[in-house]
Amino acid sequence: MIVCMYVCIYVFIYLVLPAKPENISCVFYYEENFTCTWSPEKEASYTWYKVKRTYSYGYKSDICPSDNSTRGNHTLCSFLPPTITNPDNYTIQVEAQNADGIIKSDITHWSLDAITKTEPPEIFSVKPVLGVKRMVQIKWIRPVLAPVSSTLKYTLRFKTVNSAYWMEVNFTKEDIDRDETYNLTGLQAFTEYVIALRCATKESMFWSGWSQEKMGTTEEEAPHGLDLWRVLRPATVDGRRLVQLMWKKASGAPVLEKALGYNIWYFPENSTNLTKTLNTTNEKLELYLGGKTYWVCVVSYNSLGESPVATLRIPAIDEKSFQCIEAMQACLTQDQLVVEWRSSAPEVDTWMVEWFPDLDSEPSTFSWESVSQATNWTIKQDELKPFWCYNISVYPVLQDRVGKPFSIQAYVREGIPSAGPVTQTDNIGVKTVTITWKEIPKSQRNGFITNYTIFYQAGDGKEFSKTVNSNILQYDLESLTRKTSYSLQVMASTSAGGINGTTINFKTLSISILEIFLITSLVGGGLLILIILSVAYGLKKPKLKHLCWPDVPNPAESSIATWRGDDFKDKINLKESDDPVNMEEDRVLKPYSSPRDLIDKLVVNFENFLEDVSTEELGKGQENILREEKNEYVTSPYRPYCPPISPEIPQRKSQQPCSRIPEGICLETTEQLLSSVPNLGPDRICEEGEPNPYLKNSVTTREFLTSEKLPEQTKREV
């Protein structure tokens, strides 16, 4: 007994039976096979299955053939004709077996009418019906492998060519005709559709597969309508402004709709008699309008008629627009860009959303879309370009008035900038330098610039970095090393990453301008103080004073008269006498005192000296040149020459050598001696003479005056 117990426990512990088959599902492929599947758990060992069936309402039974996919862990088995009868009820049970034992599933019951699956129908035509708008007629062939006596139910799905969303229509066909038709209505005019069809017996839970897709186009109609928008440019000096009109097919218009042209007319508000009309085949037009309020109307037309009129009010230049949008934001979902805004005017329920790429140049195209009964707008990311920045503006529209827009910028996808910033250095100092860089062009940013990072390194030393906000384009680096070479670059970053700009090299100064100024000031100030002290000390020393400020000779005291020796000195030594006549002559002969007259006086005396020398050599044997010499007038280069008169020169009572007279007195005596001749009368005729070469630099005409009392004075002296 105890041994049997241990054996049972051992068997229970170490025997592993297969998992019980579950989720049994069977399908009757009409006139082809009856197939069942199940889903066991993952088996740890090799398992094979056996499918038992009862049919003919329970009167017969069989097992799925062993060669029909029941070996080797297969979970599918099919029963083939002729043992398949319809209608009928089947029971199915699945056994799973491995080396350790067998386990059976629950018995399941199946009605063949409920699990019948037919072939899909075959569509052979999708065409519009002549004269019937917005409809296509679909024709197909009933499936061959479908119960002839059964009613079939159908599902028709359709979509426009460029759409990703299907729409479905369900209907039933009770007739058993070979060719079936169905009229699909409520479509858009002149639009191409894609059609697909499937079917099933009325009692079955299984649908056939979808038929092959077929395309068809509805009939054309007059244009559906237009969406009209404008871009207002600033007014010019003459008060006119450029208005860019743009239009497109209205939302919901047929995809294939084509217009042959567009009629445009515009007029000032309340002045319809000033209407102007234009025609174009383009979808945009530029108008130069005045400063008043204008109305613009546009219609499109084709061979079948015209579209409804699209109107737009252009406000006056001085008109104030209302503003009601308080805030706006943009966010990205899985595959869409969503823009939401908050309004303070509940009565506004229509909005115009405008967007265009933010490029370095003026945008050439604008996109817009009208939104009603909502304060959000959604666009698929596929409709916007990645790495492009878009300006998105929302305009409130209240009846025919357009308010002030609210604008934001957004990317549907950001990336690393295509190029880094261009960097340069300014104001290089001893320990500081100013770094400036330019903004990356908009076309190369690929995202919002979040920050800039400055990397700099001294030679092979440690690299340092500084991060600044995206609105800063200049930074001052400090605490650098004197007289050191640095390499530097600036990295621009977006949410996707960053890229480095150009690398630049610079070297800090060894000495700053301020230091140079301070050193120069100290040295110069010291030298100045030293000079001042030296000068102050030297003024107290006569020798140093005489060295710095030597005596300048007085031309009036020149020693030129001493060149002739004692004889000439004796002749001109007439100044010694205290004769009042000579004193009076001195007063007469010195009417001038200017420096220039003094120089001319010296020149005249020197010339007289030369003439005296010449006369002495020619007058052989003459003992006293003063007694025999004839007075001559010496003319300046600009004075006419007059023949001299030979009066007798009165002798002085006493003559002393000129050497005993001071030099200044000797020169004055010489001049007085030469001027002591009688003055020429006014009636004397003078002739022009050659200018004296010794007085060629003299521009002053000199006259020697003779006192009228000279004879009497001479007589007294004798």
Side-chain angles (χ1 to χ4, degrees), residues 127-142:
K127 294 181 179 179
V129 178
L130 185 62
V132 180
K133 307 296 182 181
R134 305 187 180 190
M135 186 190 79
V136 292
Q137 188 177 71
I138 300 100
K139 294 183 178 181
W140 69 95
I141 299 175
R142 182 184 174 93

Side-chain angles (χ1 to χ4, degrees), residues 116 121 146 171 176 194 240 247 279 288 315 366 379 401 464 472 500 524 587 618 626 639 643 667-668 692:
T116 300
F171 59 92
I176 56 174
V194 180
R240 297 169 61 83
W247 55 86
N279 181 270
Y288 284 91
F366 292 82
I379 186 172
R401 296 180 180 271
F464 299 91
I472 296 177
N500 291 327
R587 288 192 297 272
L618 293 176
L626 294 175
R639 180 180 178 91
L667 291 174
E668 292 177 359
N692 193 315

Side-chain angles (χ1 to χ4, degrees), residues 592 594-607 634-640 690-704:
Y592 53 89
S594 66
R596 180 162 183 165
D597 292 343
L598 181 59
I599 295 172
D600 292 342
K601 174 180 176 182
L602 289 176
V603 173
V604 171
N605 289 339
F606 181 69
E607 200 167 50
V634 181
T635 60
S636 69
Y638 304 96
R639 180 180 178 91
E690 292 295 331
N692 193 315
Y694 298 102
L695 299 179
K696 60 183 180 179
N697 293 326
S698 177
V699 295
T700 305
T701 302
R702 181 74 59 192
E703 289 186 3
F704 298 96

Side-chain angles (χ1 to χ4, degrees), residues 26 33 120 188 212 219 240 388 398 583 666:
C26 297
N33 59 66
Q188 296 179 359
Q212 187 176 4
E219 281 196 343
R240 297 169 61 83
W388 279 34
L398 182 61
M583 297 296 293
C666 183

Side-chain angles (χ1 to χ4, degrees), residues 66-80:
S66 59
D67 59 347
N68 200 4
S69 303
T70 58
R71 294 181 179 180
N73 289 337
H74 289 167
T75 59
L76 179 146
C77 185
S78 297
F79 295 90
L80 302 176

Side-chain angles (χ1 to χ4, degrees), residues 482-526:
R482 184 189 299 264
K483 199 178 180 180
T484 305
S485 297
Y486 285 87
S487 61
L488 179 144
Q489 57 185 354
V490 178
M491 180 179 71
S493 301
T494 63
S495 60
I499 186 172
N500 291 327
T502 55
T503 301
I504 59 174
N505 299 310
F506 67 93
K507 186 176 182 180
T508 53
L509 302 178
S510 59
I511 185 170
S512 66
I513 297 176
L514 179 60
E515 291 173 344
I516 294 174
F517 177 77
L518 291 176
I519 293 173
T520 305
S521 300
L522 292 175
V523 173

Side-chain angles (χ1 to χ4, degrees), residues 585-597:
E585 289 177 358
D586 291 343
R587 288 192 297 272
V588 173
L589 292 176
K590 296 180 181 179
Y592 53 89
S593 61
S594 66
R596 180 162 183 165
D597 292 343

Side-chain angles (χ1 to χ4, degrees), residues 20-27 34-40 49-52 75-77 79 91-96 104-110 115 205-206:
K20 181 180 179 180
E22 296 178 346
N23 298 324
I24 299 174
S25 176
C26 297
V27 179
F34 179 83
T35 301
C36 295
T37 60
W38 56 93
S39 58
Y49 298 93
K50 182 186 295 184
V51 179
K52 293 182 178 181
T75 59
L76 179 146
C77 185
F79 295 90
T91 61
I92 298 295
Q93 186 179 32
V94 180
E95 293 182 357
K104 297 181 180 181
S105 69
D106 297 333
I107 297 175
T108 58
H109 300 271
W110 304 95
I115 60 173
M205 67 177 70
F206 294 110

